[in-house]
Amino acid sequence: MPLNLNAKWPVIPALLLTSLGLTGCSELLFRQTCVGLAKDMRYCLAPLPHDFAPATDKPLTQHRIKSMTEPTTKPAIMASQQTDSNTGVSSPQSFSQKVSIKVGKESHELLTQLELEGERMTLVGLAPLGQALFTLVYDGNTLSSEQSVLLGDNFKAEYLMAMMQLIYWPEQSIRAHLEGGHLVTGLCDAAGDSLVNTSSCRQIYSQDTLISKSALQTHVVQIRYQQNVGDALWQAHISLTMPQAKFELEIEPI
């Protein structure tokens, strides 16, 4: 079934959760590089940022809440100055993660391996016992995937890759590739001991929220980062939620 970018947002969890535990013969598929986040909102995969060095990125320690009309400044989450470039990352990076996905009362777990090298981003998904589920490769222009045929045509792993970028990519890169949405970053709240841990947020609102400036309108996507002071971004515990879709994504580094 082809991806319908104009479909309503509840389709996202269903695409991610179809038969995660199954494995079998694989097939090579070419995926669309833009995914729908809500009605009239989508995110298109961005090239790897130039000199992308998440393993040594600065910890999330100094942030301030941005108003929804404040001009873009230095990224709050990924503090190093990074811009999109065809040259990609300067050195190979590899990260292993435990991913938990929950929609309503249903929950699934898988293991992922994210590799960044040159202009290429590779995301490998494994079942908890290690069986191969899918491999996604994005070269900055095209996205191809190899996945178990038992996952079915409705399973769209590109949503998971897009969410990885929403979580880890620099702010300016996300804003440049987010259509129909507005990214806001800052501290999630002022509670807690900032010397022990930090809790920073990225929130994506619809353009309607930006125009109306209504405090009653909620975010479409919220990403929370929890980590000890001194830890790199990739060591953070990640919580991504889409309240309207009753969708939750948890990422733990392993």
Side-chain angles (χ1 to χ4, degrees):
M1 181 182 71
L3 178 63
N4 181 2
L5 294 177
N6 295 320
K8 294 183 179 180
W9 46 259
V11 73
I12 297 173
L15 294 177
L16 281 169
L17 285 173
T18 305
S19 304
L20 276 179
L22 299 177
T23 58
C25 297
S26 62
E27 58 181 343
L28 181 63
L29 303 170
F30 289 92
R31 298 298 194 181
Q32 298 188 50
T33 58
C34 295
V35 300
L37 299 177
K39 182 180 180 181
D40 300 324
M41 183 192 299
R42 69 176 188 172
Y43 175 76
C44 297
L45 293 177
L48 269 65
H50 178 58
D51 294 332
F52 191 44
T56 58
D57 227 12
K58 297 179 182 179
L60 310 178
T61 53
Q62 297 180 352
H63 303 282
R64 58 189 179 88
I65 300 296
K66 295 184 179 181
S67 68
M68 299 187 68
T69 58
E70 182 179 350
T72 302
T73 57
K74 292 182 180 180
I77 301 301
M78 305 191 71
S80 57
Q81 295 181 354
Q82 301 161 336
T83 57
D84 287 347
S85 170
N86 291 332
T87 58
V89 297
S90 57
S91 59
Q93 306 276 349
S94 181
F95 307 94
S96 299
Q97 301 160 312
K98 176 184 175 182
V99 176
S100 301
I101 299 173
K102 182 179 180 180
V103 180
K105 296 182 179 180
E106 296 185 28
S107 60
H108 296 265
E109 291 186 352
L110 67 153
L111 305 176
T112 61
Q113 182 78 14
L114 182 61
E115 298 180 355
L116 310 175
E117 182 176 5
E119 301 175 18
R120 185 174 61 188
M121 176 183 184
T122 302
L123 180 63
V124 178
L126 303 173
L129 296 180
Q131 304 97 322
L133 294 175
F134 60 84
T135 299
L136 282 171
V137 179
Y138 179 59
D139 63 6
N141 294 299
T142 60
L143 175 65
S144 61
S145 70
E146 186 176 0
Q147 70 179 41
S148 168
V149 296
L150 297 181
L151 287 175
D153 294 336
N154 287 340
F155 179 80
K156 309 294 185 182
E158 60 264 37
Y159 274 98
L160 185 56
M161 177 172 278
M163 290 180 184
M164 291 287 187
Q165 288 199 0
L166 290 176
I167 290 169
Y168 296 115
W169 257 225
E171 285 181 38
Q172 68 269 28
S173 177
I174 294 175
R175 288 192 172 99
H177 295 84
L178 180 64
E179 302 177 7
H182 180 72
L183 174 66
V184 177
T185 65
L187 292 174
C188 296
D189 51 57
D193 186 351
S194 60
L195 297 178
V196 177
N197 57 64
T198 58
S199 183
S200 297
C201 278
R202 284 182 175 180
Q203 296 175 323
I204 297 176
Y205 293 84
S206 67
Q207 291 290 10
D208 292 339
T209 300
L210 178 62
I211 295 173
S212 67
K213 300 179 183 178
S214 172
L216 297 177
Q217 294 191 16
T218 185
H219 51 266
V220 175
V221 180
Q222 176 176 268
I223 304 169
R224 298 177 66 98
Y225 304 79
Q226 295 181 334
Q227 64 186 125
N228 295 324
V229 172
D231 284 351
L233 176 64
W234 292 82
Q235 295 173 291
H237 177 95
I238 308 296
S239 174
L240 182 150
T241 59
M242 300 178 69
Q244 296 174 351
K246 299 181 180 179
F247 173 74
E248 300 176 11
L249 175 71
E250 299 280 341
I251 297 179
E252 296 181 19
I254 56 177

